Amino acid sequence: MEVVDYDLGPERREVVPDLRVLVVEPGPRSDSWAYVTAGCWAAMEKHSDGLEFVMTAHVRDRRFIELMAMIAYYHCGGHQLDLGHSMPIGEPWVPGSPCDHLLISLTYLHGPDLEHCPLPGGAPAFCGHCQ
């Protein structure tokens, strides 16, 4: 696993000040790369609930790290996402694709153990999955 400290830039840094994207290589449980936000929950904590986001892809690509940063900024910057929401990204998510939105859904590929993550002190966090 690689931890990427993602700097959103000077005007956006305050929205998600400690944003990191975890890049997890394929392993025994999945043949896909996983990209996971870390920092959304802390930026948006309300009533001990919060979201982090997971995206899977069959390749390791900087583009997916950038998309995760876009999701974090969009979510924490005033467009609070939840299950069933979509997020416009303004361009195809990968070259040649007609898809220019991301969908927030459950973590189907990773199962329910990732959906509710117990944290120290008993506060649960819900992890959204972007497809």
Side-chain angles (χ1 to χ4, degrees):
M1 178 178 70
E2 177 186 358
V3 178
V4 178
D5 290 317
Y6 197 91
D7 187 352
L8 292 166
E11 295 182 20
R12 297 180 176 167
R13 189 174 297 127
E14 291 180 19
V15 174
V16 194
D18 297 318
L19 178 63
R20 294 172 314 285
V21 177
L22 311 178
V23 180
V24 183
E25 66 183 54
R29 294 177 62 184
S30 174
D31 64 351
S32 297
W33 289 82
Y35 300 85
V36 184
T37 62
C40 287
W41 180 84
M44 296 291 292
E45 181 181 5
K46 294 178 182 170
H47 310 296
S48 299
D49 291 330
L51 292 175
E52 296 293 346
F53 300 92
V54 178
M55 176 183 285
T56 55
H58 287 291
V59 296
R60 187 191 193 294
D61 193 309
R62 178 95 180 144
R63 172 66 173 156
F64 302 120
I65 296 169
E66 293 167 354
L67 285 171
M68 297 309 287
M70 288 172 66
I71 292 166
Y73 179 75
Y74 189 84
H75 174 68
C76 297
H79 302 280
Q80 193 166 354
L81 296 167
D82 206 342
L83 288 176
H85 289 175
S86 63
M87 182 190 117
I89 57 175
E91 61 188 26
W93 78 294
V94 294
S97 173
C99 299
D100 62 359
H101 283 66
L102 299 175
L103 173 67
I104 308 304
S105 69
L106 292 176
T107 58
Y108 296 114
L109 295 177
H110 303 286
D113 289 343
L114 186 60
E115 291 172 24
H116 298 277
C117 308
L119 299 175
F126 178 78
C127 303
H129 179 116
C130 305
Q131 292 189 25

